[in-house]
Amino acid sequence: MANTIAALLENTKLNKTDAKALLTHLLDRHLGWPRSALISKDQEPLPNELLIAWQSLEAQRVSGVPVAYLTGMKGFHGIDLKVNEAVLIPRPETELLVDLALEEMKRIHANYPNQTIQILDLGTGSGAIALAIAHECSISKVPINLSILGVDQASDAIELARENAKALGLNHLVEFLPSNWYDAIPNRYQTTFDVIVSNPPYIQKDDPHLHEGDLRFEPKAALTDDGDGLSCIREIVNHAHHYLKPGGLIAVEHGYDQAAEISVLLENHGFHDIGAITDLAGHLRVTQARKEDPTF
């Protein structure tokens, strides 16, 4: 068997991006080598235990297992997150929710610099959205008082999110609680949140994409509601006014063809300033709106 990095990359069945990601993971775990070793040490013999691990990962990836589940890590909005089969793999389009929350934080802070900004992340999964927001706040040169609550009905997801918060040193900014949407959120949080963000299950039960690519391996309950793809979003919107402050912002990720229905749903529940935002592929991917503020 080929026993150098160059030989493994030359002979692998995988595309080079996946192969390099898996090799980088193995080189770090077995030898403590950085990613640059893919070039600087590509002719050095590799130990047998690494080669055996490579064969296993290569075979699993060929069968379709996502790279993120094989390495146990995924980058998202400038942070590295632990991921496993209990949670969705964070995707670039979901970074839109982070950016919207950050923009709203800056707006609030500019007007009320001493206010603690409170954010609710519904269906937090690995904690990606909540932790990316917290990370940006922690490295900002502008001191912002921030408190984030992330909830998820899956206890395995909450455990992982807490691990990620600890690894990133963000425990002081983010709390994770098990809850089926709003069900177990303590009453003290009612009408306290400035922002609600969510990437809920929104794929229709008969969508063929559920049986393709990485989606085959991700938790079904985090992908689809086993219905029309909108039941979870209805639940989120139906009760959002109980938890948002007057004038508070809600932003929800959704399918490329769901923006119009969600806009109507938000309007019917008294929200205003409703707008949809496109992702990098040009699809309407996130819809945002504001709760009415009777003081204006």
Side-chain angles (χ1 to χ4, degrees):
M1 182 175 66
N3 67 347
T4 66
I5 294 171
L8 293 180
L9 290 176
E10 177 67 25
N11 297 315
T12 185
K13 301 174 184 177
L14 304 179
N15 68 60
K16 291 300 185 283
T17 299
D18 288 353
K20 288 179 179 179
L22 294 177
L23 270 177
T24 298
H25 167 69
L26 291 174
L27 292 172
D28 175 61
R29 189 176 71 179
H30 288 267
L31 300 171
W33 290 358
R35 181 178 174 83
S36 59
L38 291 175
I39 297 173
S40 63
K41 297 178 181 289
D42 69 335
Q43 298 297 331
E44 294 194 23
L46 299 171
N48 285 335
E49 62 268 21
L50 188 152
L51 297 173
I52 292 169
W54 162 256
Q55 285 184 313
S56 174
L57 293 187
E58 182 186 37
Q60 291 179 73
R61 181 56 188 147
V62 168
S63 73
V65 180
V67 170
Y69 288 161
L70 295 174
T71 64
M73 298 296 293
K74 180 66 177 179
F76 178 80
H77 208 287
I79 58 176
D80 290 323
L81 296 159
K82 296 179 183 178
V83 294
N84 59 33
E85 291 82 355
V87 298
L88 290 183
I89 299 168
R91 289 170 168 79
E93 53 265 32
T94 304
E95 294 186 1
L96 284 171
L97 291 172
V98 177
D99 293 335
L100 286 172
L102 292 173
E103 288 176 15
E104 183 68 0
M105 285 169 52
K106 292 176 183 176
R107 186 193 69 80
I108 295 170
H109 182 72
N111 291 295
Y112 309 98
N114 297 319
Q115 176 180 319
T116 296
I117 300 169
Q118 298 197 82
I119 297 175
L120 174 61
D121 177 17
L122 291 167
T124 193
S126 64
I129 298 168
L131 293 171
I133 295 168
H135 171 72
E136 289 296 328
C137 180
S138 71
I139 64 174
S140 172
K141 295 180 180 178
V142 179
I144 297 177
N145 298 318
L146 178 67
S147 176
I148 305 178
L149 175 64
V151 302
D152 200 291
Q153 67 174 347
S155 58
D156 288 349
I158 290 298
E159 182 179 344
L160 183 63
R162 288 170 176 168
E163 287 181 25
N164 278 321
K166 182 177 181 180
L168 292 165
L170 296 172
N171 301 61
H172 62 298
L173 297 176
V174 187
E175 178 183 9
F176 293 108
L177 294 175
S179 179
N180 182 24
W181 305 123
Y182 305 97
D183 289 353
I185 296 178
N187 288 334
R188 69 178 183 274
Y189 284 108
Q190 292 206 6
T191 64
T192 63
F193 291 106
D194 298 280
V195 181
I196 293 177
V197 289
S198 183
N199 175 21
Y202 56 75
I203 302 176
Q204 294 184 36
K205 65 178 180 180
D206 57 355
D207 191 313
H209 291 96
L210 289 170
H211 309 289
E212 300 173 359
D214 288 357
L215 298 189
R216 294 172 294 160
F217 297 88
E218 295 183 86
K220 186 179 180 183
L223 293 167
T224 178
D225 60 358
D226 271 333
D228 65 355
L230 292 170
S231 65
C232 294
I233 295 175
R234 292 190 193 99
E235 180 73 11
I236 290 167
V237 173
N238 287 351
H239 301 282
H241 62 282
H242 292 303
Y243 293 89
L244 273 175
K245 290 180 181 177
L249 182 75
I250 182 171
V252 180
E253 182 176 329
H254 52 71
Y256 73 96
D257 57 352
Q258 296 173 329
E261 290 177 88
I262 294 169
S263 293
V264 171
L265 178 65
L266 287 161
E267 184 176 6
N268 289 343
H269 281 78
F271 289 89
H272 66 105
D273 289 349
I274 302 168
I277 300 164
T278 57
D279 60 21
L280 293 175
H283 300 305
L284 293 174
R285 184 59 63 187
V286 170
T287 295
Q288 64 175 345
R290 289 192 182 278
K291 179 180 175 178
E292 291 284 0
D293 189 343
T295 62
F296 288 95

